[in-house]
Amino acid sequence: MRFAEELRFGAHAKKHRRYLLENIEKGRFQPGAFLITEAEPPRLFEIYPSYWLLEPHFKERDLLILGIGYGRPDTLRLLQKMVEERLSREE
C-alpha cells in the first residue's frame, strides 16, 4: 500500500487527517473510512472500505491510494471532484 504524493481528503476526512492516516498505515480497523485507489483501465478509480486492508489478499496488493473519505457522503463528494478533474484533463 502506497499513498499518492498528492493524497486527497474529503472535507470530513480532512478534519481527521492525522488520525485516519495513522490508523490506516498501522493496519488498524478504521470504521467509516473509504480509500479511493487507482483502477485498471478502462475504469478510473476504485473505492474500498478501509477494513478491507485487514484481509490477507489486500495486504499483498500494491495499492496506490489517491484519496480518503470519511463516511459515504464525504467519499462520494471527493470521488465526484476527482472524476471531474480527471475528465477535464482528458478533454
Side-chain angles (χ1 to χ4, degrees):
M1 173 182 69
R2 302 175 286 130
F3 292 104
E5 286 184 29
E6 295 184 21
L7 183 62
R8 306 279 306 270
F9 289 87
H12 188 60
K14 197 176 290 186
K15 296 175 187 173
H16 304 280
R17 179 182 179 148
R18 182 176 295 159
Y19 174 77
L20 289 168
L21 284 175
E22 182 178 310
N23 285 330
I24 291 169
E25 286 176 337
K26 292 182 179 180
R28 294 184 184 147
F29 177 63
Q30 185 55 59
F34 292 87
L35 310 174
I36 301 172
T37 67
E38 192 74 57
E40 295 291 324
R43 297 174 299 180
L44 297 175
F45 305 106
E46 293 182 353
I47 303 174
Y48 298 107
S50 65
Y51 63 81
W52 282 20
L53 294 177
L54 302 175
E55 297 293 324
H57 66 278
F58 268 89
K59 290 180 181 180
E60 297 170 6
R61 291 181 63 188
D62 184 31
L63 292 175
L64 176 60
I65 299 173
L66 304 173
I68 300 175
Y70 201 26
R72 288 181 190 202
D74 189 48
T75 304
L76 292 175
R77 282 190 293 270
L78 174 59
L79 181 64
Q80 180 181 2
K81 288 179 190 176
M82 292 172 70
V83 168
E84 288 171 353
E85 289 171 4
R86 176 78 60 95
L87 292 177
S88 69
R89 278 187 272 158
E90 293 179 2
E91 289 179 351

